[in-house]
Amino acid sequence: MRTTTLKLVTVIAESILEDRLVREMHHLGAKGYTIAQARGEGTRGMPTIDMGGQNVRIEMLVSDEVAERIMAHLAEHYFTDYAVIVYAVDAQVLRSEKYL
Amino acid sequence: MRTTTLKLVTVIAESILEDRLVREMHHLGAKGYTIAQARGEGTRGMPTIDMGGQNVRIEMLVSDEVAERIMAHLAEHYFTDYAVIVYAVDAQVLRSEKYL
Amino acid sequence: MRTTTLKLVTVIAESILEDRLVREMHHLGAKGYTIAQARGEGTRGMPTIDMGGQNVRIEMLVSDEVAERIMAHLAEHYFTDYAVIVYAVDAQVLRSEKYL
C-alpha cells in the first residue's frame, strides 16, 4: 500500500478565534480541517485565564510547505497576543493528492 | 524505560459510521479505541456538506501490519463513497503487548 | 523557520482521574495541557466497563526527559489498577522554550 508522509498540523486556540483561523489556514493552503472542542490549562508565562476557557483544536493534513507557512503565520500574527499552540507531526496518509 | 513504537491510527468519519467502523477495526485487529466527537470542514473535491455534520475521530494503537490492513480496508470500502480520513503516526508506548 | 522537536504525550484515562493526573503531570514538569472529552472502548484483558464510560484525553508538549518521567510515573502508579493509556509522538514546535 502506497502511503505518503504529510504534516499533521494541530492548532489549539480560544474558540472565539475559530472562524478567523479556519479562514486563514484555508488561505494558506489547507484543504480540510477537523475541529474538536478542548479545554486548555495554564502555561508558564501567561495567565491561566488565557487558556482556561473553551478552546478549539483544529487539525489539518498538509504539505511540508503549507505546514511551514501556517506555523510562520501563527508565530507572526498570534504568538504575541494569544495563547495559541501549534505543532506538526509526520503522518502517513493514503491518496495524499486530496490534501495538496 | 523500554518503549515500543506502534502506529497510532486515526480515522475521521461521519458519526453514523461509528458502530460499523469500530466493528470492522476490531475485526482487522485493533484491541481498543478512543473515540471523540469532531466536526469536519470542506475538502477539495467533495461538497462541504459531506464533512460538515457531526463526525467521530477514532484512535487506535496497533502494529504496523494492522495499520496497513485498516488503511487498505478503508481505501477499498469507503474512499469512493464516504468522506473518510485516515492517517498513521509513529507512537512510543509502554506495555505494547496490550495492543498487539 | 526554526522548529524544535518535543514529545507530544497523550494520556487517556477515566474522567474521575483528571484533576489528580493534571496535578501530577504538572509536578513532573509539564507546563500546559489540552484536555478533551473522549470515550474508550474495550481493550483485551480488561472489561469494557473499565474504559466504557467518560474519559479524558490529556495532551502535553514536553521534553524527552519529562515524557520519560510521565510514562514511568503512569506505569508505576496506574497501570495495575486503571485502564490508562499513554503514548508519545515526536512533534515539531515553535518557541519550544514555552514548554520546557
Side-chain angles (χ1 to χ4, degrees), chain A residues 47-87:
Chain A
T48 305
I49 198 169
D50 278 356
M51 292 290 286
Q54 199 59 54
N55 290 343
V56 281
R57 191 174 178 284
I58 308 173
E59 279 186 355
M60 296 149 277
L61 287 163
V62 295
S63 66
D64 286 15
E65 194 199 326
V66 171
E68 285 255 347
R69 230 183 283 159
I70 287 171
M71 294 179 91
H73 175 83
L74 294 174
E76 190 182 339
H77 298 287
Y78 289 88
F79 278 12
T80 312
D81 297 328
Y82 298 99
V84 168
I85 293 169
V86 58
Y87 56 82

Side-chain angles (χ1 to χ4, degrees), chain B residues 7 12 48 97-98:
Chain B
K7 291 291 182 204
I12 298 155
T48 305
E97 65 285 358
K98 200 185 148 210

Side-chain angles (χ1 to χ4, degrees), chain A residues 1 3 8 18 22 31-37 56-57 59 61 89-95 97-100, chain B residues 7 12 37-44 46 57 67-68 71-72 75 79-80 82 84-90:
Chain A
M1 196 178 43
T3 61
L8 174 69
E18 178 182 326
V22 164
K31 303 297 179 200
Y33 328 85
T34 301
I35 301 180
Q37 298 310 120
V56 281
R57 191 174 178 284
E59 279 186 355
L61 287 163
V89 167
D90 285 336
Q92 295 154 262
V93 304
L94 294 175
R95 41 168 205 182
E97 65 285 358
K98 201 185 147 209
Y99 307 104
L100 299 177
Chain B
K7 291 291 182 204
I12 298 155
Q37 299 310 121
R39 286 173 286 136
E41 307 268 338
T43 312
R44 184 174 62 174
M46 51 184 63
R57 192 176 179 281
E68 285 256 347
M71 293 179 90
F79 278 10
T80 311
Y82 298 100
V84 167
I85 293 169
V86 58
Y87 55 83
V89 167
D90 285 337

Side-chain angles (χ1 to χ4, degrees), chain B residues 12-91:
Chain B
I12 298 155
E14 298 161 62
S15 289
I16 203 171
L17 295 173
E18 178 181 325
D19 289 350
R20 177 175 154 190
L21 283 170
V22 164
R23 206 163 48 234
E24 290 170 356
M25 301 303 102
H26 182 71
H27 186 72
L28 293 165
K31 303 298 179 201
Y33 328 84
T34 302
I35 300 180
Q37 299 310 121
R39 286 173 286 136
E41 307 268 338
T43 312
R44 184 174 62 174
M46 51 184 63
T48 305
I49 198 168
D50 278 356
M51 291 290 285
Q54 199 59 54
N55 289 343
V56 282
R57 192 176 179 281
I58 309 172
E59 280 187 353
M60 296 149 277
L61 287 163
V62 296
S63 67
D64 286 14
E65 193 199 328
V66 171
E68 285 256 347
R69 230 183 285 158
I70 287 171
M71 293 179 90
H73 175 83
L74 294 175
E76 189 182 340
H77 297 286
Y78 289 88
F79 278 10
T80 311
D81 298 329
Y82 298 100
V84 167
I85 293 169
V86 58
Y87 55 83
V89 167
D90 285 337

